[in-house]
Amino acid sequence: MEFPQQQKPAGDGKIFYPPGVKEITDKISNDEVVKRLKMVVKTYMDMDQDSEEEKQQYLGLALHLASEFFLRNPNKDVRLLVACCLADIFRIYAPEAPYTSHDKLKDIFLFITRQLKGLEDTKSPQFNRYFYLLENLAWVKSYNICFELEDCNEIFIQLFKTLFSVINNSHNQKVQMHMMDLMSSIIMEGDGVTQELLDTILINLIPAHKNLNKQAYDLAKTLLKRTVQTIETCIANFFNQVLVMGKSSVSDLSEHVFDLIQELFAIDPMLLTSVMPQLEFKLKSNDGEERLAVVRLLAKLFGAKDSELASQNRPLWQCFLGRFNDIHVPVRLECVKFASHCLMNHPDLARDLTEYLKVRSHDPEEAIRHDVIVTIINAGKKDLNLVNDQLLGFVRERTLDKRWRVRKEAMMGLAQLFKKYCLHHEAGKESALKISWIKDKLLHIYYQNSIDDKLLVEKIFAQYMVPHSLDTEEKMKCLYYLYACLDTNAVKALNEMWKCQNMLRGLVKELLDLHKLPVSEANNTAMFGKLMSIAKNLPDAGKAQDFMKKFNQVLGEDEKLRVQLEMLISPTCSCKQAEICVREITRKLTFPKQPTNPFLEMVKFLLERIAPVHIDSEAISALVKLLNKSIEGTADDDEEGVTPDTAIRSGLELLKVLSFTHPTAFHSAETYESLLQCLKMEDDKVAEAAIQIFRNTGQKIETELQQIRSTLIPILHQKAKRGTPHQAKQAVHCIHAIFNNKEVQLAQIFEPLSRSLNADVPEQLITPLVSLGHISMLAPDQFASPMKSIVANFIVKDLLMNDRSVGNKNGKLWTTDEEVSPEVLAKVQAIKLLVRWLLGMKNNQSKSANSTLRLLSAMLVSEGDLTEQKKISKSDMSRLRLAAGGAIMKLAQEPCYHDIITPEQFQLCGLVINDECYQVRQIFAQKLHLALVKLLLPLEYLAVFALCAKDPVKERRAHARQCLLKNISVRREYIKQNPLAQEKLVPLLPEYVVPFMIHLLAHDPDFTKPQEYEQLKDIKECLWFMLEVLMTKNENNSHAFLRKMVENIKQTKDAQCPEDAKANEKLYIVCDVALFVIANKSTACHLDSPKDPILPSKFFLMQDKDFKNDKEYLTTEMRQMLLTGKPKPAPVLGAVNKPLTVPGRRIFTKTSTASDTASNTSTNSSPLSSSTINKNSNSNAATESAESRTQENNENPVIKNDEGKKEASQNATPDAGTEASPVKRRGRPPKTAAAAPVVAEKEGAAAPGGGAGRGRKRGADPNSNPSAESINIKMSKQQQQNDEGTKRQIDLQSRWPFVSREQERVRKWEHGGNAGRALETVVLLLGSEGDTEIEIELESSPEDVICGRKDRERRPATHGQTSCAAWSNTRGEGDTRSTSRGVPSGRQGEPISRDDEGRVAVKRKPLKVRSRL
């Protein structure tokens, strides 16, 4: 567009001024100039666009005002007035300006723009004129003239900068509106916005500028909203150059693009319509830091409260979710942090987030797993409905994490949710019901081995589950109904918690008692032992020992501190007194003050554990009142979600537990009156618990509460005579515990009961037998002699030696308690009576113990049918065998009876653990473990667990192994904590169990053919079951000690039958097998033994000094078979179809690489595995399909696979109607009978052949041709007979090995399709990063592992080979390769271990050889 020629003023260039205005030149003063300009301004203000005459008249003046004199005048007032005149001139002469020169126009608008800076000071006298200038410019849109200038952008940039810089909070809305009008007109009516002008606007959105001038930010925000349609294209172009093309030089704001995107999105998402797809591209960048920046940005955009970006842009949302699996740790961490805001602001996206949070809850990084928990808990605390059950399940899994920080966060988070929604009911009953599992889960953690976990559970219980800060009544109400709602395991955990705290209080009391004694060496030694015991119950045992020594020193020096501590652990200490004592003790130990005082923290841990913060006399009274309300029906039981009967029963159970730990708190007439009411209730369990509470707490009833005594005695007499067996037992013990004239009271019960015994009515015999047995045990001096005649004439002759009724011939090996015949129940109680009578006498002067032991042995020999009249059912026989075995074990706990138990009787007792009935084995093993772990039984009974290697059920073998581990650790710890025990190592040192085990196995009824491979394999298996645990560590050269012990046994005779050559030969053969196992396990066993072992003379007789037994009883061939397995003849086709070879070419042999042989090193590896062959090198183990799991009270336990699905069980037990083997063994099932159900392999068909393995089918018969299609069936090793260099036939039945996570990606597998699918299954079993570790027991035999590896090393590759890459998921760069999986949970009671990164680690358990049960 061409500007018109400049207009000439009328009068040949003469300037006309308004009337009264003189000429304005540089000759006059500034004040005069201002005065005259004001009149000019007024003239122009009054003019309008229609005054053509005036316009022409004052045209010269208009041109004059644009001269350099005015535009560059140093006076601010002059410049302002000139600017106002110029603005009016543009208004008057619009749309044509009187100035046609581009340069002049540019100078004028730059001049006007500079004057707008005066808007900054609203208090200035000239502000109104500045406002008039702005208003005039905005109304007329004067700056639009500049569009015709080539360098108009410079003017606009200067204008925008000026306006953004001058705006402040003192400006009113009109000023802001005019600024907005002025700038928006330039953007909307122009051809486009240049990058420089866009920068001028966007720079105000950057956080740094935003904080400096909030009004400029608001102005820019409003401007962008108004011009969104016009400016969006310019914004998109800017971000396209920076984000996609990487041209950061296009703008100084390039480094702030992500901040700008966030601000622009908050202003109006339409501004970024074309930008969002560019962010999807940046999310896949190779630069981790760049991905992190984009993720941070999108996290804010998606998580914003009113954001609809996720629903509007699903591809970008899905791409963003993919960053949860990013390979860069900070990116994954940022994604997890975002999830918290997203869950709270957008609950509808929870379903999308759940799967990704599941994967991250197993992340190898501790910080990420921690933040997953924080994310879920924060959302749950805001509103429980924001988190679904699956998300809460992730937190539940992390309570078993490897890392303490993660476990603590998970436990504390769940505790906070429980307190908010279950205790305070902030969201109603529905929400409380949703998380009702939290209380049980938190208490289950008390089963963990870590003392940190236990301490945290105690803290959570005291602060969140039953807050100690509540009033006593409210606090006890919480405890009362919490106890009623807990599951069985949680109740046990809570009871154990109180028991541990009480035990620790006892240790502190014993320590304080030692301080009262004179100083001596013995006293110091005892004090040190107490300190070590206390330190074991505190975190970080090493530091705890040092701090406890320091605390003990302080106690010795500060008597006031000892007084406070004694008051704290006193039985009469109330909860309020406990708080005062803790505060005083803490105050005394805070000097000198330090920023961190680890000593004080450790003492606080101790005080928190021993302080009675919940239970005192007032608390017990409150509990009793709640119990009374439940009995009367006036309690809030239904509102709390429990029935009145449940509340009463659980309430009494709670009181019973507290009666053990706080007996003094029960001493009140009100409490005992309520308990008397419970004794009169019909519920047997309630009455039994009430009697037990009286027994534990009633020591002062006779002296202080005569009325209670007079009421209680008749009730106890009645319960002892006609109550249930459990009530009778507790009643007798209660009388003995709380009454001084106990002999008279017991006699009043004994005499009528002894006269009323009648074997013809067995239903009425059970309670009298229980009472008589306990009376004779508690008062032997008074009742031992009368009992002897009862035992001889009635118990043995009339009851045990007679079968009056015929049992149920249903063939079952076990039935429920309700189905057992009364006669058998009476016989079981009769056996227990015999034991109690003998335990009361504690001597064998009358030889009654010998007779009893012979009777019990005869019952075991006859398999429970003592009369052998075939009247008793098999299930009843199982009950009697269990009773007899338990009776011998109980008598062995008394030293005088242990000495007279013969080796034959010991062996009969031990063989019960191999009984054909599952429940007998289970209960006997539990009784054996409890007696051993309390150090009540002699060490020889620990050898019985070696027989568990033959158990057909995996669960029983696992339980036996845990029992061995626990017992051995208890004995070792006892020796360490008790210096005096060093002198009695023979009955305590676990290694001394080996002679008893060897003798027991030598007399195994199955060990009839000493040179038969199958029998020797069983012996080897049993020996390894025990030796594996003993040889985990070579402490004090114990391996050499074991070897020396076995060698010494080989130089003795069997004391049980010293002249029997066959028996001695079997003993020596077992010794050779033991030496063989030890030598293959340990390379240090051949060193010199530190001590000469002592052998038990009861089992071994020393030979003459000249005797030397150096004979090898195992042949070389037998040793090889024990090492590698019995060879199998090759199939006919395998011998005929020899592999073809090409002349001149070498047969391809797969070389074993490091990745082929690497595995997780485990101390539990078998001594007979390939590790012993290859000089203790690591080897890969093989897996087997699901093992059987058994159900209690079921002779055919149901088998479950790894996914928990029930499989069909095969009823092959002799009790299910099948004909048993004619050769019966003592205390064990026939060899041909399968004692456990069988399950087929998950992927393959059932193995042919009828041999029964451990609860599953055996492999094919050695003489049969193996099927080529049964890929997953275990194969024995084929004998290596071909020369080196020949090619071995491909074995389709070989097993696939385990690999580590790294090997999964690089190793090629030499199997076809089925094996590849099986491999995927195994990798899933490996668990995911961050999971708690479970142990997967590998049941393959050592020879299978060796054979499998050698086969793989020799056979050539085939076209069906499958590499790990064929099935593994691949992702783009920046992705992790973790797999979403749940956390497998171990069997309860088993310790859970974890690897260093919190991952599930598949540990190698001992490789076991198949049993023959």
mmCIF file of all heavy atoms in Angstrom, residues 13 174-175 179 299 314 329 367 379 428 435 676 715 720 807 848 973 1011 1089 1144 1170 1189 1192 1204 1300 1329 1388:
data_model
loop_
_atom_site.group_PDB
_atom_site.id
_atom_site.type_symbol
_atom_site.label_atom_id
_atom_site.label_comp_id
_atom_site.label_asym_id
_atom_site.label_seq_id
_atom_site.Cartn_x
_atom_site.Cartn_y
_atom_site.Cartn_z
ATOM 1 N N GLY A 13 2.415 27.052 4.202
ATOM 2 C CA GLY A 13 3.269 26.527 5.290
ATOM 3 C C GLY A 13 3.165 27.282 6.584
ATOM 4 O O GLY A 13 3.911 27.004 7.528
ATOM 5 N N LYS A 174 -10.072 -0.575 34.378
ATOM 6 C CA LYS A 174 -10.125 0.152 33.112
ATOM 7 C C LYS A 174 -8.755 0.207 32.445
ATOM 8 O O LYS A 174 -8.637 0.061 31.222
ATOM 9 C CB LYS A 174 -10.649 1.576 33.344
ATOM 10 C CG LYS A 174 -12.126 1.644 33.656
ATOM 11 C CD LYS A 174 -12.589 3.096 33.754
ATOM 12 C CE LYS A 174 -14.094 3.165 34.002
ATOM 13 N NZ LYS A 174 -14.567 4.583 34.071
ATOM 14 N N VAL A 175 -7.739 0.439 33.254
ATOM 15 C CA VAL A 175 -6.387 0.473 32.690
ATOM 16 C C VAL A 175 -6.051 -0.868 32.059
ATOM 17 O O VAL A 175 -5.555 -0.937 30.924
ATOM 18 C CB VAL A 175 -5.358 0.827 33.784
ATOM 19 C CG1 VAL A 175 -3.947 0.734 33.238
ATOM 20 C CG2 VAL A 175 -5.628 2.226 34.338
ATOM 21 N N MET A 179 -5.314 -1.679 28.039
ATOM 22 C CA MET A 179 -4.091 -2.365 27.615
ATOM 23 C C MET A 179 -4.428 -3.618 26.806
ATOM 24 O O MET A 179 -3.817 -3.908 25.771
ATOM 25 C CB MET A 179 -3.243 -2.754 28.835
ATOM 26 C CG MET A 179 -2.567 -1.592 29.527
ATOM 27 S SD MET A 179 -1.562 -2.180 30.894
ATOM 28 C CE MET A 179 -0.842 -0.667 31.490
ATOM 29 N N ALA A 299 2.778 -35.149 33.644
ATOM 30 C CA ALA A 299 2.218 -35.516 34.937
ATOM 31 C C ALA A 299 1.390 -34.375 35.510
ATOM 32 O O ALA A 299 0.314 -34.585 36.086
ATOM 33 C CB ALA A 299 3.340 -35.902 35.909
ATOM 34 N N ARG A 314 -6.282 -39.874 24.056
ATOM 35 C CA ARG A 314 -5.969 -41.217 24.544
ATOM 36 C C ARG A 314 -4.604 -41.723 24.065
ATOM 37 O O ARG A 314 -3.889 -42.367 24.839
ATOM 38 C CB ARG A 314 -7.056 -42.200 24.098
ATOM 39 C CG ARG A 314 -8.424 -41.945 24.711
ATOM 40 C CD ARG A 314 -8.413 -42.059 26.215
ATOM 41 N NE ARG A 314 -8.124 -43.420 26.673
ATOM 42 C CZ ARG A 314 -8.050 -43.775 27.942
ATOM 43 N NH1 ARG A 314 -8.239 -42.871 28.892
ATOM 44 N NH2 ARG A 314 -7.781 -45.019 28.292
ATOM 45 N N VAL A 329 15.508 -44.741 35.888
ATOM 46 C CA VAL A 329 14.875 -44.794 37.214
ATOM 47 C C VAL A 329 14.137 -43.500 37.568
ATOM 48 O O VAL A 329 12.998 -43.542 38.028
ATOM 49 C CB VAL A 329 15.928 -45.142 38.293
ATOM 50 C CG1 VAL A 329 15.319 -45.021 39.693
ATOM 51 C CG2 VAL A 329 16.466 -46.547 38.073
ATOM 52 N N ALA A 367 13.381 -47.057 46.153
ATOM 53 C CA ALA A 367 12.677 -45.770 46.216
ATOM 54 C C ALA A 367 11.357 -45.818 45.448
ATOM 55 O O ALA A 367 10.368 -45.215 45.866
ATOM 56 C CB ALA A 367 13.560 -44.655 45.663
ATOM 57 N N ALA A 379 -3.675 -41.412 48.640
ATOM 58 C CA ALA A 379 -4.997 -41.372 48.012
ATOM 59 C C ALA A 379 -6.039 -42.008 48.923
ATOM 60 O O ALA A 379 -7.166 -41.501 49.056
ATOM 61 C CB ALA A 379 -4.953 -42.109 46.672
ATOM 62 N N GLY A 428 -17.936 -44.674 57.438
ATOM 63 C CA GLY A 428 -19.030 -45.629 57.566
ATOM 64 C C GLY A 428 -18.565 -47.076 57.623
ATOM 65 O O GLY A 428 -17.390 -47.404 57.462
ATOM 66 N N ILE A 435 -11.609 -52.732 54.424
ATOM 67 C CA ILE A 435 -10.222 -52.896 54.869
ATOM 68 C C ILE A 435 -10.150 -53.638 56.201
ATOM 69 O O ILE A 435 -9.196 -53.464 56.961
ATOM 70 C CB ILE A 435 -9.520 -51.530 54.983
ATOM 71 C CG1 ILE A 435 -10.274 -50.613 55.966
ATOM 72 C CG2 ILE A 435 -9.386 -50.869 53.638
ATOM 73 C CD1 ILE A 435 -9.514 -49.343 56.287
ATOM 74 N N LEU A 676 -17.190 -66.442 88.001
ATOM 75 C CA LEU A 676 -18.060 -67.501 88.540
ATOM 76 C C LEU A 676 -19.327 -67.631 87.698
ATOM 77 O O LEU A 676 -19.832 -68.743 87.493
ATOM 78 C CB LEU A 676 -18.417 -67.188 89.998
ATOM 79 C CG LEU A 676 -17.286 -67.398 91.024
ATOM 80 C CD1 LEU A 676 -17.728 -66.933 92.408
ATOM 81 C CD2 LEU A 676 -16.889 -68.874 91.082
ATOM 82 N N ILE A 715 -18.003 -75.966 92.557
ATOM 83 C CA ILE A 715 -18.013 -75.934 91.082
ATOM 84 C C ILE A 715 -16.824 -76.701 90.530
ATOM 85 O O ILE A 715 -16.945 -77.490 89.579
ATOM 86 C CB ILE A 715 -18.005 -74.480 90.577
ATOM 87 C CG1 ILE A 715 -19.271 -73.750 91.044
ATOM 88 C CG2 ILE A 715 -17.885 -74.431 89.060
ATOM 89 C CD1 ILE A 715 -19.301 -72.278 90.665
ATOM 90 N N ALA A 720 -14.505 -81.460 87.862
ATOM 91 C CA ALA A 720 -13.518 -82.533 87.872
ATOM 92 C C ALA A 720 -14.177 -83.903 87.744
ATOM 93 O O ALA A 720 -13.548 -84.850 87.251
ATOM 94 C CB ALA A 720 -12.687 -82.466 89.145
ATOM 95 N N GLY A 807 -15.229 -101.887 65.828
ATOM 96 C CA GLY A 807 -15.078 -100.585 65.188
ATOM 97 C C GLY A 807 -15.691 -100.531 63.793
ATOM 98 O O GLY A 807 -16.081 -101.554 63.214
ATOM 99 N N SER A 848 7.298 -100.367 87.561
ATOM 100 C CA SER A 848 6.068 -100.099 86.811
ATOM 101 C C SER A 848 6.376 -99.484 85.447
ATOM 102 O O SER A 848 5.666 -99.739 84.472
ATOM 103 C CB SER A 848 5.170 -99.141 87.609
ATOM 104 O OG SER A 848 4.813 -99.713 88.835
ATOM 105 N N GLU A 973 22.459 -71.734 69.987
ATOM 106 C CA GLU A 973 22.306 -70.478 70.717
ATOM 107 C C GLU A 973 22.373 -70.703 72.218
ATOM 108 O O GLU A 973 22.943 -69.889 72.954
ATOM 109 C CB GLU A 973 20.973 -69.823 70.323
ATOM 110 C CG GLU A 973 20.793 -68.411 70.822
ATOM 111 C CD GLU A 973 21.790 -67.441 70.227
ATOM 112 O OE1 GLU A 973 22.259 -67.689 69.105
ATOM 113 O OE2 GLU A 973 22.114 -66.449 70.908
ATOM 114 N N GLN A 1011 23.000 -104.620 50.380
ATOM 115 C CA GLN A 1011 23.681 -104.309 49.126
ATOM 116 C C GLN A 1011 22.728 -103.948 47.988
ATOM 117 O O GLN A 1011 23.140 -103.856 46.847
ATOM 118 C CB GLN A 1011 24.568 -105.507 48.708
ATOM 119 C CG GLN A 1011 25.729 -105.771 49.653
ATOM 120 C CD GLN A 1011 26.681 -104.581 49.778
ATOM 121 O OE1 GLN A 1011 26.823 -103.784 48.858
ATOM 122 N NE2 GLN A 1011 27.320 -104.457 50.944
ATOM 123 N N SER A 1089 40.376 -83.593 63.128
ATOM 124 C CA SER A 1089 39.240 -83.226 63.979
ATOM 125 C C SER A 1089 39.724 -82.496 65.215
ATOM 126 O O SER A 1089 40.706 -82.908 65.842
ATOM 127 C CB SER A 1089 38.454 -84.476 64.375
ATOM 128 O OG SER A 1089 37.458 -84.162 65.311
ATOM 129 N N GLY A 1144 35.660 -86.763 7.994
ATOM 130 C CA GLY A 1144 36.490 -85.565 7.964
ATOM 131 C C GLY A 1144 35.930 -84.402 8.735
ATOM 132 O O GLY A 1144 36.566 -83.365 8.835
ATOM 133 N N SER A 1170 25.970 -82.331 40.751
ATOM 134 C CA SER A 1170 27.101 -82.174 39.848
ATOM 135 C C SER A 1170 28.167 -81.270 40.435
ATOM 136 O O SER A 1170 29.290 -81.262 39.971
ATOM 137 C CB SER A 1170 26.616 -81.602 38.517
ATOM 138 O OG SER A 1170 25.963 -80.385 38.752
ATOM 139 N N ARG A 1189 -0.187 -80.925 48.436
ATOM 140 C CA ARG A 1189 -0.438 -80.282 49.719
ATOM 141 C C ARG A 1189 -1.570 -81.040 50.384
ATOM 142 O O ARG A 1189 -2.528 -81.425 49.739
ATOM 143 C CB ARG A 1189 -0.831 -78.812 49.534
ATOM 144 C CG ARG A 1189 0.310 -77.976 48.982
ATOM 145 C CD ARG A 1189 -0.102 -76.542 48.945
ATOM 146 N NE ARG A 1189 0.978 -75.742 48.369
ATOM 147 C CZ ARG A 1189 0.878 -74.457 48.160
ATOM 148 N NH1 ARG A 1189 -0.203 -73.804 48.479
ATOM 149 N NH2 ARG A 1189 1.889 -73.786 47.632
ATOM 150 N N GLU A 1192 -5.742 -81.480 56.691
ATOM 151 C CA GLU A 1192 -5.838 -82.194 57.954
ATOM 152 C C GLU A 1192 -7.121 -83.019 57.995
ATOM 153 O O GLU A 1192 -8.113 -82.695 57.363
ATOM 154 C CB GLU A 1192 -5.836 -81.184 59.104
ATOM 155 C CG GLU A 1192 -5.619 -81.836 60.451
ATOM 156 C CD GLU A 1192 -5.444 -80.809 61.531
ATOM 157 O OE1 GLU A 1192 -5.371 -79.638 61.184
ATOM 158 O OE2 GLU A 1192 -5.388 -81.211 62.688
ATOM 159 N N GLY A 1204 -2.850 -73.055 42.863
ATOM 160 C CA GLY A 1204 -3.863 -73.268 43.874
ATOM 161 C C GLY A 1204 -5.038 -74.048 43.385
ATOM 162 O O GLY A 1204 -6.042 -74.180 44.068
ATOM 163 N N SER A 1300 19.001 -67.621 35.157
ATOM 164 C CA SER A 1300 18.866 -66.340 35.842
ATOM 165 C C SER A 1300 18.203 -65.341 34.916
ATOM 166 O O SER A 1300 18.030 -65.592 33.733
ATOM 167 C CB SER A 1300 20.256 -65.837 36.266
ATOM 168 O OG SER A 1300 20.999 -65.568 35.112
ATOM 169 N N GLU A 1329 11.072 -58.150 40.399
ATOM 170 C CA GLU A 1329 11.956 -57.363 41.229
ATOM 171 C C GLU A 1329 11.184 -56.743 42.377
ATOM 172 O O GLU A 1329 10.116 -56.224 42.203
ATOM 173 C CB GLU A 1329 12.567 -56.237 40.382
ATOM 174 C CG GLU A 1329 13.143 -56.706 39.065
ATOM 175 C CD GLU A 1329 14.613 -57.032 39.183
ATOM 176 O OE1 GLU A 1329 15.039 -57.198 40.323
ATOM 177 O OE2 GLU A 1329 15.293 -57.109 38.174
ATOM 178 N N GLN A 1388 2.900 -70.396 55.734
ATOM 179 C CA GLN A 1388 2.966 -69.718 57.014
ATOM 180 C C GLN A 1388 3.863 -70.488 57.961
ATOM 181 O O GLN A 1388 3.872 -71.692 58.020
ATOM 182 C CB GLN A 1388 1.569 -69.605 57.615
ATOM 183 C CG GLN A 1388 1.621 -68.832 58.919
ATOM 184 C CD GLN A 1388 0.266 -68.376 59.306
ATOM 185 O OE1 GLN A 1388 -0.591 -68.239 58.488
ATOM 186 N NE2 GLN A 1388 0.069 -68.117 60.550
#
